Amino acid sequence: MKLMQLLDRRPLWTVALYRLKSPGDVFEVADKTPEHFFGEAGLRSSRDYKSTTADPFLFTHSGRLYIFFEVKTDFGKGEIWAESMGADGIWVRHGIVLVEEFHISYPNVFSGSDGRIYMLPETAASGKVWLYTTDEFPFNWRRVEVLIDKPLSDPSIIFTQDGVLLLGTTRQHELKVHTARGLDRQFNRTGQLITKDRAISRSGGAPFVANGKLYRPAQNCRTSYGENISLMEVEILAANEYRERLVVADLYPQRPFWMELGCHHMSIAKFGNDYFLAVDGRRRDKYVNTILLAYFKLFGK
């Protein structure tokens, strides 16, 4: 049985990048063709083969479009990597920008009201929700403080006139909203329960605005992890009240080949005259790569 498990065809996570004319095009993305992919596409030549390139976050800064994502091999824990593109359309690889002694993913990068750039990754493996910042973007991220002293999956931030809302998912698959007057203030630890429905209870990216409305991407995990992406329209957003409704159950009614096994994360950002959308997807890797992985697991090199 153990040998058969070694020979099971392995999944491969990659990220696709779309060029859009407006944020509203997100709702028709299933009919569009990506213009660029991030992640592995060749043969496993070592134990460093990146079987997971996922959780993309787009961020524009100083005339460049940055993409941050989780990278993981089959032999290590999640790390945060980055690439960026200038007006010339050429992508530059920056490599690892954040690594911890615990698994990290979901590199939510955003600008604070104080003008600083922050990252709120998933740090649930540490048992806490850590906030990071940097003075040497996109490198050298450092911990600022603990926002919530308990593990939450895929934390996301929404700024309001009254303060900050932090959405995160507990180990019991409960989506909760925690509030504070600011990033430097104490968040409500208990949080408001929004839903326990696994089809929408885990965020799949930062909330975004399209057609004048605020939407929260959600991971559709109703039957399995990372099955599809749902979109929730935020109807009420206040310091003491949050309400949303489902508007898109499956962003990809029919998944293309590169995400044949599922998808669970998206991010959108404006750069130049266009909008860019990054979506991750999971497919079956080449069978030869599964054989090579079995070799590396059995013989170590």
Side-chain angles (χ1 to χ4, degrees):
M1 180 66 177
K2 200 167 185 179
L3 179 60
M4 293 304 297
Q5 289 177 337
L6 281 174
L7 297 178
D8 282 344
R9 195 170 172 190
R10 301 291 293 175
L12 176 68
W13 283 95
T14 57
V15 171
L17 186 74
Y18 298 85
R19 187 187 296 263
L20 310 177
K21 291 302 179 184
S22 73
D25 289 346
V26 166
F27 299 98
E28 308 297 331
V29 68
D31 299 325
K32 301 184 183 301
T33 301
E35 72 168 33
H36 189 78
F37 282 93
F38 303 87
E40 299 282 7
L43 296 179
R44 287 180 182 262
S45 58
S46 71
R47 294 165 61 95
D48 295 329
Y49 183 85
K50 303 171 187 63
S51 55
T52 296
T53 300
D55 290 7
F57 276 92
L58 296 171
F59 184 77
T60 56
H61 179 69
S62 296
R64 299 190 69 83
L65 175 65
Y66 287 83
I67 182 168
F68 295 83
F69 42 75
E70 172 200 355
V71 167
K72 185 179 179 299
T73 72
D74 287 289
F75 299 92
K77 59 185 184 298
E79 304 169 340
I80 305 306
W81 291 48
E83 298 191 23
S84 70
M85 179 184 74
D88 57 6
I90 299 174
W91 285 93
V92 175
R93 294 183 180 180
H94 302 294
I96 301 173
V97 297
L98 178 59
V99 62
E100 287 278 18
E101 64 269 20
F102 46 83
H103 173 87
I104 51 176
S105 58
Y106 203 79
N108 186 359
V109 176
F110 59 92
S111 295
S113 57
D114 57 1
R116 297 195 64 84
I117 299 176
Y118 293 97
M119 182 190 294
L120 184 65
E122 181 188 303
T123 56
S126 74
K128 307 174 187 296
V129 178
W130 282 99
L131 179 68
Y132 294 73
T133 192
T134 179
D135 296 315
E136 302 176 57
F137 184 89
F139 304 101
N140 296 330
W141 296 88
R142 66 180 186 279
R143 299 182 199 176
V144 176
E145 61 181 312
V146 173
L147 298 187
I148 305 289
D149 193 14
K150 61 181 180 180
L152 292 177
S153 297
D154 306 322
S156 298
I157 286 286
I158 302 177
F159 290 98
T160 71
Q161 291 183 339
D162 301 316
V164 185
L165 276 66
L166 190 156
L167 295 86
T169 306
T170 69
R171 299 294 194 193
Q172 292 72 44
H173 310 286
E174 303 167 314
L175 175 67
K176 290 190 173 183
V177 174
H178 303 261
T179 59
R181 288 293 184 182
L183 285 177
D184 59 345
R185 304 292 184 87
Q186 186 174 1
F187 277 82
N188 177 296
R189 188 178 188 278
T190 303
Q192 173 194 351
L193 176 63
I194 304 302
T195 182
K196 294 190 284 187
D197 183 350
R198 293 193 186 192
I200 57 174
S201 64
R202 190 165 174 174
S203 290
F208 66 96
V209 175
N211 302 326
K213 297 180 180 180
L214 181 64
Y215 296 91
R216 180 182 69 89
Q219 300 182 34
N220 191 333
C221 302
R222 57 179 172 246
T223 58
S224 62
Y225 174 71
E227 182 180 344
N228 215 308
I229 297 171
S230 301
L231 294 179
M232 311 296 297
E233 180 187 332
V234 179
E235 295 181 298
I236 297 179
L237 181 64
N240 58 356
E241 189 175 6
Y242 177 92
R243 192 171 72 195
E244 59 184 20
R245 69 182 182 95
L246 178 68
V247 291
V248 177
D250 290 312
L251 191 60
Y252 289 86
Q254 293 185 330
R255 298 190 298 258
F257 165 75
W258 63 271
M259 61 162 64
E260 61 180 345
L261 298 180
C263 58
H264 72 355
H265 187 99
M266 58 165 283
S267 177
I268 187 169
K270 186 178 183 182
F271 182 65
N273 295 321
D274 296 313
Y275 289 83
F276 288 84
L277 174 71
V279 181
D280 62 11
R282 181 177 55 171
R283 68 177 186 271
R284 295 176 180 84
D285 203 353
K286 300 180 180 70
Y287 191 70
V288 64
N289 283 338
T290 295
I291 300 300
L292 289 169
L293 174 60
Y295 172 83
F296 292 128
K297 284 187 173 181
L298 290 172
F299 299 104
K301 292 184 178 181

